[in-house]
Amino acid sequence: MATLNISIPNEMRHWIDQQIASGQFANASDYIRDLIRHNQSEKEAIRMALVEGEMSGESSLSVTDIINEQKKIITNV
């Protein structure tokens, strides 16, 4: 396994220490690895959504129409 040394502000280190103290993570490395895994998953999900969007073809709706439809969905929930 590779080693990486980073510098972070004290506030960030305090946050990491709190996460470890909560019992969710064994140490700072465990926490950082978890953050990286989540970031990788998010990026892959975005990539897949973009591919799906490209494959779906062109929409006859304008951007404004799409926004208005989303607002209707949100207000009906």
Side-chain angles (χ1 to χ4, degrees), residues 2-76:
T3 301
L4 173 67
N5 294 315
I6 62 168
S7 297
I8 58 174
N10 289 333
E11 295 82 16
M12 287 184 178
R13 180 60 206 220
H14 180 67
W15 174 259
I16 293 170
D17 291 341
Q18 287 178 326
Q19 303 314 302
I20 296 164
S22 76
Q24 286 186 280
F25 305 97
N27 52 46
S29 292
D30 190 28
Y31 179 69
I32 300 299
R33 282 191 296 269
D34 187 65
L35 289 176
I36 293 169
R37 280 190 293 273
H38 278 84
N39 185 257
Q40 288 172 325
S41 296
E42 289 172 356
K43 287 189 179 286
E44 181 61 17
I46 291 169
R47 188 192 69 75
M48 290 174 64
L50 289 170
V51 168
E52 182 180 326
E54 287 177 351
M55 294 176 70
S56 71
E58 282 190 45
S59 174
S60 60
L61 300 174
S62 70
V63 173
T64 303
D65 294 335
I66 295 169
I67 291 170
N68 288 335
E69 284 187 13
Q70 289 300 308
K71 285 181 182 178
K72 287 178 190 176
I73 291 170
I74 292 170
T75 57
N76 289 331

